[in-house]
Amino acid sequence: MPGPDRRLFRLIHLDTLPTLLKRGGLHAPNVTPADGLPYRTIHNANVQASRSARGIPCGPGGMIHDYIPFYFGPLSVMLLNLHTGRVAGYTEGQAPLVYLVSSIARVTAAGRPWVFSDGHGLAALTSWYDDEADLDQVDWELVGERYWADKPEDNDRKRRKQAEFLVWQHLPWQAVDAIVVLNDEMRARVQSILAAHPMLAATVKVAVRRNWFY
């Protein structure tokens, strides 16, 4: 069964990285500091409106927007939609998108409460959990797959691909141990941003993983 070292993946726009470093971590939408720092959104506005009203039935409770969402694998449905121009207002493709990588163990070590789902957070069939003993409810083969379309013999694949791990309210930067990018140009740009924050940069690796992108 998957253990607490299971990796977690959050997708952000490169332009948002300086803000996260200045804040010293990540914040959920409902507790974002009112500091005026820019945040480059890459999300579908209609989906976000629905998530703001969806309650979490376990753990600390609250709404989805009280949490920072991660996926259990790369190559998310969200990334494909951004890559193919299916998110209104976003036209830059996948090149400026970067992964922040953490793990269940790092989140727990940071003392942050969490919950997870076995599928898309808005789907009626999705169940929520707050115990590591229930991690076997996640479809571990599917969450890392490049091809996840529904099939006649299994029309629930897309929902299960989008299983989420949600961190309550905020997560310190020290829980992020890697940043993964599409190419060498993006790696250089990330390293340039990190250079302005040497104390935080010392704890994170920057790597190119072309196979984590479409």
Side-chain angles (χ1 to χ4, degrees):
M1 183 177 119
D5 59 343
R6 174 59 66 168
R7 310 294 279 170
L8 305 170
F9 306 80
R10 176 160 176 78
L11 201 64
I12 66 164
H13 193 283
L14 179 68
D15 289 350
T16 295
L17 184 57
T19 290
L20 300 184
L21 290 166
K22 289 175 183 176
R23 290 175 177 166
L26 291 73
H27 293 79
N30 284 349
V31 296
T32 298
D35 52 19
L37 293 175
Y39 192 99
R40 185 67 178 277
T41 183
I42 55 174
H43 300 97
N44 184 303
N46 292 334
V47 172
Q48 292 306 299
S50 297
R51 288 174 68 87
S52 70
R54 180 59 59 92
I56 298 295
C58 60
M63 302 294 178
I64 289 181
H65 272 191
D66 292 316
Y67 297 79
I68 306 153
F70 287 79
Y71 287 121
F72 287 111
L75 296 164
S76 65
V77 178
M78 173 185 170
L79 175 60
L80 181 63
N81 288 340
L82 290 162
H83 176 48
T84 55
R86 300 177 192 176
V87 175
Y90 184 83
T91 59
E92 298 177 60
Q94 61 183 349
L97 304 177
V98 303
Y99 288 96
L100 304 182
V101 185
S102 185
S103 68
I104 297 175
R106 282 181 171 266
V107 172
T108 302
R112 302 310 305 145
W114 49 262
V115 300
F116 68 92
S117 71
D118 62 4
H120 191 291
L122 296 178
L125 293 177
T126 292
S127 296
W128 292 92
Y129 309 90
D130 58 11
D131 190 329
E132 286 181 15
D134 294 314
L135 283 168
D136 59 356
Q137 299 301 311
V138 175
D139 187 334
W140 292 108
E141 288 190 14
L142 188 58
V143 292
E145 287 293 322
R146 178 176 294 271
Y147 304 107
W148 36 258
D150 290 340
K151 297 180 178 181
E153 66 273 18
D154 183 356
N155 62 3
D156 190 39
R157 286 167 53 86
K158 185 175 179 179
R159 181 193 70 86
R160 300 199 312 275
K161 166 70 176 177
Q162 298 177 85
E164 300 183 51
F165 185 94
L166 305 184
V167 180
W168 175 246
Q169 293 191 336
H170 68 88
L171 185 68
W173 181 258
Q174 289 74 14
V176 176
D177 70 342
I179 299 175
V180 172
V181 300
L182 175 66
N183 54 38
D184 289 333
E185 176 188 353
M186 293 303 301
R187 176 167 56 188
R189 291 177 64 183
V190 168
Q191 289 171 331
S192 177
I193 293 169
L194 290 173
H197 305 269
M199 294 294 291
L200 298 178
T203 65
V204 65
K205 302 179 294 292
V206 184
V208 174
R209 296 284 186 272
R210 181 64 186 86
N211 62 332
W212 284 18
F213 293 84
Y214 289 102

